[in-house]
Amino acid sequence: MTRSAALGQGGDLQAMVDDLAEELGRSVVINDPVVRLICTSRHFGDEDGLRIRAVLQRDAGAEAIRFILAQGVARWSAPGMLAGREDLSMLPRLCVPLRERGELLGLLMVIDADRSLTAAQLHRITEASLGMAAQLYRHRLATDSGRGDREDALRELLGDNPARRAARLTGHGGGLPREAPHVVVTALEVHGAVEPPAQIELALRTVLDAATRRRPARCATVADPDEGLLLQVMDRLEREELAAQARRMVDELRHLLAGAPVCVAGIGGAAPGLAEAWTSRAQASTAARGARLLPELAGVGEWDELGCYTVLLHLPDSALTPALLPQPLRALLRHDRGARLVRTLRIFLDHAGSIPHTAAALHLHRTSLYYRLGQIREITGLDLDDGEHRLRLHLGLRIVDLLGPGQGPDGTGPVDNAGPVDGTPVSGRPTGRARR
């Protein structure tokens, strides 16, 4: 980062980094809480491959960032040593969390591969870190002075009040991005966290800010203690990049919030302009719920990939119970051969009742498949040639997926959701764009 750019972080932050580096005779760098470069000193011959890559590319790389965050730096309250890793060309380094009023604002790092920093040098680093944290905090306050207005504008744009949405668009101000053919909202959700709400909100803001750094003029964000929203405008829809971005944000959140067992993201469909952005926001929340309930999505749900789940996911938690399962399907789930037969039924329905395609997917002879389908008819009492009967069973299986392994067909035991057997993956269920 150039000196002028670092000054934008609050006064003489770059100068402070340079002065400390000269005193130590070592390279010094400040990263943000998710290990994105803020400013760096010149090299002193102690740099490793990771530092060189971070300076040249402005990014240490996703694997390096995950490795550093996995060592718990986001929760450190005092300086500590980060382990090195040869395959990342990363030497051990001292890491000092830059905190002000409890908020983690950055990470000061000094390479110390041979543990040769003296007590006097460690004291000087700690002393300098206090001033650096204060500078970052002043920059945070200056940056946040208009954040409230921008977030209010985005809340109204994405809210359920048509009058307020229209009023917000009339002036088209308040920090909203420009119009574009494609507007997509991504929702980040945190469930079951043990951290205080303020810390969760800060983690969400940190992750969202990092995601918008490359094109801030095309993004807008808002964060609350349990949800963060990212609105992006695009001239060309980039679905693969949206999914990759969502996965990065979920990974970063999980590392920042060790006490949050569930961090998920949902990507809404593309709206044709800011006036319709509220639809993408609603879809993003539904997709995030899907990511929470469907483990195979690996924490990221995409509205356009959810199929019929988009309807079922609108059922409230209070209604999404085993009571929704059709009685014939309950009988099949309870049967002693239920797991194999449910899997056969699922693939049969996913292949629109095609005997050749189902037999091929199951690696079964058609005679064996006919025998299994006959057992399903006998147990359920339903006619698999009847479209209405098929629909009941197919929707029932989708509900089984959403119920997960915690509830049985009578609410007393685990649901057998008929996961993969015989080495064949389940078809027709969302697996996420990156998993196909």
Side-chain angles (χ1 to χ4, degrees):
M1 178 176 286
T2 64
R3 176 178 291 269
S4 60
L7 289 175
Q9 294 288 343
D12 298 321
L13 184 62
Q14 182 67 58
M16 296 174 74
V17 168
D18 290 338
D19 289 346
L20 179 61
E22 295 293 337
E23 288 184 44
L24 299 174
R26 296 173 182 255
S27 304
V28 175
V29 65
I30 294 180
N31 294 312
D32 71 9
V34 289
V35 202
R36 311 296 174 112
L37 186 66
I38 294 178
C39 62
T40 179
S41 71
R42 70 178 179 88
H43 291 166
F44 286 79
D46 57 347
E47 61 275 5
D48 57 11
L50 179 65
R51 174 181 166 82
I52 293 172
R53 182 169 63 251
V55 171
L56 293 178
Q57 300 179 7
R58 316 306 300 172
D59 191 338
E63 184 62 27
I65 290 172
R66 280 194 293 269
F67 176 66
I68 292 171
L69 288 175
Q71 298 185 57
V73 293
R75 299 177 294 281
W76 289 4
S77 58
M81 286 298 298
L82 285 172
R85 194 167 132 184
E86 187 175 352
D87 64 315
L88 294 175
S89 299
M90 175 181 171
L91 295 172
R93 60 241 292 137
L94 178 74
C95 178
V96 185
L98 301 177
R99 292 185 181 275
E100 185 73 22
R101 304 189 183 188
E103 292 188 17
L104 179 64
L105 303 171
L107 300 166
L108 169 64
M109 295 190 186
V110 181
I111 293 177
D112 188 21
D114 55 1
R115 306 293 183 98
S116 60
L117 283 168
T118 66
Q121 288 175 322
L122 290 171
H123 176 75
R124 178 67 186 100
I125 291 170
T126 302
E127 181 182 61
S129 71
L130 299 177
M132 294 171 180
Q135 294 284 20
L136 287 170
Y137 186 68
R138 280 194 282 273
H139 172 68
R140 168 69 62 85
L141 292 179
T143 301
D144 285 356
S145 61
R147 185 189 290 270
D149 290 340
R150 294 194 300 272
E151 291 196 345
D152 286 345
L154 186 57
R155 284 191 178 96
E156 291 185 351
L157 180 71
L158 301 180
D160 55 8
N161 187 316
R164 290 187 177 180
R165 290 200 302 264
R168 179 59 63 180
L169 286 169
T170 300
H172 198 265
L176 294 177
R178 63 170 177 79
E179 274 289 3
H182 307 287
V183 180
V184 178
V185 175
T186 300
L188 288 174
E189 294 183 359
V190 177
H191 299 272
V194 299
E195 287 89 351
Q199 187 173 343
I200 298 170
E201 184 175 333
L202 176 61
L204 285 165
R205 289 188 192 282
T206 298
V207 170
L208 289 169
D209 287 348
T212 62
R213 180 170 296 170
R214 290 184 178 179
R215 45 184 186 185
R218 291 173 170 256
C219 302
T221 65
V222 60
D224 294 307
D226 58 353
E227 181 188 54
L229 298 175
L230 167 61
L231 177 144
Q232 300 177 87
V233 298
M234 303 175 179
D235 296 321
R236 180 172 59 87
L237 196 58
E238 302 167 352
R239 294 197 179 279
E240 297 289 347
E241 174 54 31
L242 286 170
Q245 176 193 64
R247 287 191 294 273
R248 287 194 299 269
M249 291 193 292
V250 167
D251 286 344
E252 290 166 358
L253 264 183
R254 287 171 177 165
H255 288 305
L256 288 171
L257 298 171
V262 181
C263 298
V264 297
I267 305 170
L274 290 174
E276 299 297 320
W278 63 277
T279 61
S280 184
R281 185 262 186 276
Q283 293 165 356
S285 293
T286 300
R289 189 180 183 214
R292 178 166 57 88
L293 295 178
L294 296 166
E296 57 265 43
L297 295 183
V300 177
E302 300 178 63
W303 171 266
D304 292 335
E305 301 292 313
L306 286 175
C308 69
Y309 289 110
T310 58
V311 176
L312 296 175
L313 285 167
H314 282 85
L315 292 170
D317 288 337
S318 59
L320 193 56
T321 70
L324 285 179
L325 297 178
Q327 186 58 43
L329 182 58
R330 293 192 198 185
L332 191 62
L333 289 166
R334 287 193 299 262
H335 198 274
D336 57 1
R337 295 189 299 277
R340 184 178 67 176
L341 295 178
V342 167
R343 174 170 176 73
T344 299
L345 175 63
R346 183 189 292 277
I347 294 182
F348 175 75
L349 295 174
D350 287 347
H351 286 86
S354 167
I355 295 296
H357 291 162
T358 304
L362 289 168
H363 305 290
L364 274 180
H365 191 278
R366 294 189 190 184
T367 301
S368 299
L369 176 57
Y370 280 122
Y371 176 71
R372 288 192 191 182
L373 295 176
Q375 289 181 302
I376 294 171
R377 289 188 179 95
E378 181 180 345
I379 295 168
T380 63
L382 295 181
D383 180 2
L384 296 182
D385 292 328
D386 186 299
E388 179 65 28
H389 290 185
R390 284 192 192 181
L391 180 59
R392 289 174 63 191
L393 291 170
H394 216 170
L395 286 177
L397 289 173
R398 294 296 189 253
I399 293 170
V400 167
D401 296 339
L402 296 177
L403 289 173
Q407 302 180 70
D410 297 312
T412 56
V415 164
D416 185 345
N417 62 7
V421 295
D422 303 328
T424 308
V426 175
S427 62
R429 296 166 69 181
T431 58
R433 188 175 298 275
R435 293 169 65 92
R436 288 202 298 275

